[in-house]
Amino acid sequence: MPRLLPRRLSLAVAVSAALALAACGGGGNRPKGDLAASRVTTIGVNSYLWRASLDTVSFMPLLQTDSNGGVIVTDWYVNPQVPGERMKVTVSILDQDLRADAVRVAALREINRGGQWVSAPVEAATTQKLEDIILTRARDLRRGAVTG
């Protein structure tokens, strides 16, 4: 259990960096295994995508989670390093298969101007990076389940 804290911290730093820098990432090879391993288990959506999504946004306060509908909504998160900006994220899992187009991230961003939070644009690369982080984590979880 003590190893989880550094891992979650590094995951939070990676996602924070993705939100701040809006960098692009990608790829990875698909693990070999039977097709059933990528399918839904006891929840309504792909279990690897669901777990990876929760892991990825776990540093943000959660407002709503629906494993049958595949929706995770966070509350506003303020990065301590950027106190004048806050983000809110919605993750939607759209399929029972572990596929690149089975996860969608939507984000809202606000900037504090004179004590008022005002809407600000979110770079498209920000949501793409979060999707990539979720997909990479889901593939890692699947790979561990297939080979472990």
Side-chain angles (χ1 to χ4, degrees), residues 68-86:
N68 286 321
V71 177
I72 299 169
V73 180
T74 71
D75 204 353
W76 291 105
Y77 170 75
V78 178
N79 183 338
Q81 297 176 347
V82 189
E85 177 179 301
R86 66 183 186 176

Side-chain angles (χ1 to χ4, degrees), residues 88-103:
K88 185 174 189 169
V89 174
T90 300
V91 179
S92 301
I93 301 171
L94 307 171
D95 201 328
Q96 293 181 350
D97 291 326
L98 177 49
R99 303 170 2 155
D101 61 353
V103 64

Side-chain angles (χ1 to χ4, degrees), residues 28-80:
N29 294 331
R30 296 187 86 155
K32 293 185 182 188
D34 65 273
L35 209 48
S38 70
R39 286 245 168 222
V40 66
T41 55
T42 59
I43 60 176
V45 296
N46 182 278
S47 61
Y48 301 119
L49 286 173
W50 178 254
R51 177 57 196 234
S53 297
L54 285 174
D55 287 353
T56 301
V57 299
S58 65
F59 68 97
M60 302 175 87
L62 296 179
L63 200 57
Q64 173 189 351
T65 59
D66 177 6
S67 62
N68 286 321
V71 177
I72 299 169
V73 180
T74 71
D75 204 353
W76 291 105
Y77 170 75
V78 178
N79 183 338

Side-chain angles (χ1 to χ4, degrees), residues 6-18 55-56 58-59 77:
R7 186 173 186 185
R8 284 184 187 245
L9 183 58
S10 65
L11 188 59
V13 169
V15 173
S16 291
D55 287 353
T56 301
S58 65
F59 68 97
Y77 170 75

Side-chain angles (χ1 to χ4, degrees), residues 110-124:
E110 291 184 345
I111 297 174
N112 192 333
R113 290 202 181 134
Q116 292 277 52
W117 290 103
V118 294
S119 292
V122 177
E123 298 276 334

